[in-house]
Amino acid sequence: MDNTASPPQITLATFLPATLQANGVVCTDETPKTLEDLLSRNKLEVRDFIESSPDIAMTLIDAFIEDDFDGKLHLMTLSMLNQNNNAAAGGGGNDGHEIIGISFWREVDDGEMRDWFDIDRVAKLIDKSIEQSHEHEHEHESLKLVRRSSISWIQKALESTDSNQNSNYISRNTQESTIQQLTHAWVKIELIAIKQSYREHHLGHTLLGCTLAKAHEIARGDHVILHVAGGASKNIPAAKLYQRFGFVSVPTHKEGGVFQKPDRDLFVLGNIGKALEDLPFEEILQ
């Protein structure tokens, strides 16, 4: 019997700081005030990130500055550190740094998710996701587990609906409980973009990792949903990036998906905590 101790599990919390330092970059959680400062000093040019449709980013910038979402919309920037200053930056501490990535994400309230969900379609999402999981048999085992965790929370929420069906009152109660579990603790990544001149450096992985860690830390979000800009079939690099983090694609409502419009090119990560703990970040963030 081999009693050799297993090496410690590398997680985002332990691996990401080293990755940031090795790449000479820093992730910063911005505030409306620091964003206004960046814009006034021309430190952030939207067209450097979103060439085809900068209006999307400008709408998010305006909403963030005006606090249209009551503090629920967040902005994280990824900056390349000045070679003469490798100290970590605090919020808005981007002097001498070049901003090379932006990520807008927000906490989604239960009521909005309730309107978006088509509860009757949940079973079909499970079937589709399980089918997709078999298409990635060559992938790292922990990634397979994270993919399955993206659907297991739905299965657990549905377990109660299989019992107590003799009472209509109890059935209504269990259905409401299921809806509450399915629509609670969501975050939505509104935009994630890397500056055009840095896109060959795979820094999108680092920015997405920072975004997920921050969402889990301050919003206690369990589930993430996002829309692939330009469509998953056309924006292949983005789709591959999300899949490497354990996201699973969701079929459209017409195809049996659980989300009503907008319902195209959606990706879901069902368990942020498990992803942060179990994903092989030493491979993902390379």
Side-chain angles (χ1 to χ4, degrees):
M1 181 176 179
D2 186 2
N3 292 321
T4 304
S6 300
Q9 174 67 42
I10 298 177
T11 66
L12 186 64
T14 58
F15 188 76
L16 188 55
T19 302
L20 292 172
Q21 183 176 16
N23 287 300
V25 296
V26 62
C27 287
T28 304
D29 194 28
E30 304 291 353
T31 67
K33 183 177 180 180
T34 61
L35 175 57
E36 286 185 303
D37 180 61
L38 292 171
L39 294 171
S40 69
R41 294 187 291 120
N42 297 318
K43 288 286 188 178
L44 197 159
E45 295 288 345
V46 171
R47 289 190 179 275
D48 292 339
F49 301 90
I50 312 292
E51 306 88 34
S52 59
S53 53
D55 290 348
I56 297 174
M58 287 306 304
T59 298
L60 288 168
I61 286 174
D62 291 342
F64 184 69
I65 292 175
E66 297 298 326
D67 196 19
D68 291 346
F69 290 93
D70 298 322
K72 298 296 180 67
L73 179 64
H74 304 268
L75 169 62
M76 178 164 286
T77 58
L78 182 69
S79 301
M80 182 66 68
L81 292 171
N82 187 305
Q83 292 183 351
N84 296 322
N85 178 18
N86 285 324
N94 288 296
D95 289 333
H97 304 162
E98 179 184 4
I99 295 180
I100 60 174
I102 56 174
S103 172
F104 281 99
W105 64 277
R106 67 183 176 92
E107 305 163 53
V108 184
D109 63 44
D110 296 9
E112 181 178 348
M113 291 307 302
R114 182 184 289 254
D115 291 339
W116 202 357
F117 253 114
D118 184 339
I119 302 299
D120 294 335
R121 300 290 184 85
V122 169
K124 292 185 179 181
L125 171 63
I126 293 173
D127 294 340
K128 181 70 174 178
S129 299
I130 291 175
E131 177 184 324
Q132 289 176 338
S133 70
H134 293 303
E135 298 174 0
H136 303 275
E137 293 300 328
H138 62 284
E139 291 178 333
H140 196 286
E141 186 63 31
S142 62
L143 179 53
K144 295 178 189 177
L145 294 175
V146 171
R147 287 187 188 281
R148 286 200 169 264
S149 74
S150 286
I151 56 174
S152 65
W153 60 276
I154 298 179
Q155 293 171 311
K156 290 178 181 178
L158 289 174
E159 286 176 357
S160 60
T161 63
D162 293 331
S163 59
N164 299 321
Q165 295 300 312
N166 293 327
S167 167
N168 290 333
Y169 174 77
I170 294 178
S171 295
R172 285 195 296 271
N173 267 354
T174 56
Q175 182 181 30
E176 179 61 25
S177 176
T178 297
I179 293 174
Q180 290 177 357
Q181 291 183 61
L182 292 177
T183 58
H184 184 63
W186 282 85
V187 298
K188 183 174 186 287
I189 297 179
E190 298 284 0
L191 173 69
I192 185 165
I194 297 294
K195 199 171 184 178
Q196 187 175 22
S197 55
Y198 286 89
R199 288 177 188 166
E200 295 182 357
H201 299 280
H202 304 292
L203 292 170
H205 300 79
T206 302
L207 181 55
L208 180 56
C210 286
T211 300
L212 292 177
K214 182 59 66 173
H216 192 59
E217 173 190 343
I218 69 175
R220 298 299 178 186
D222 291 328
H223 325 301
V224 188
I225 190 167
L226 55 82
H227 171 264
V228 179
S233 61
K234 294 182 179 179
N235 195 348
I236 296 176
K240 287 185 176 179
L241 167 63
Y242 304 134
Q243 289 169 348
R244 291 190 72 181
F245 275 81
F247 282 80
V248 294
S249 62
V250 181
T252 64
H253 192 260
K254 185 177 180 179
E255 296 169 335
V258 301
F259 294 102
Q260 304 178 79
K261 291 184 178 181
D263 63 341
R264 300 187 65 84
D265 301 304
L266 296 179
F267 278 70
V268 167
L269 180 65
N271 191 326
I272 301 177
K274 187 167 185 60
L276 296 178
E277 292 175 1
D278 294 347
L279 281 178
F281 288 105
E282 67 275 22
E283 299 176 14
I284 291 176
L285 295 177
Q286 293 298 335

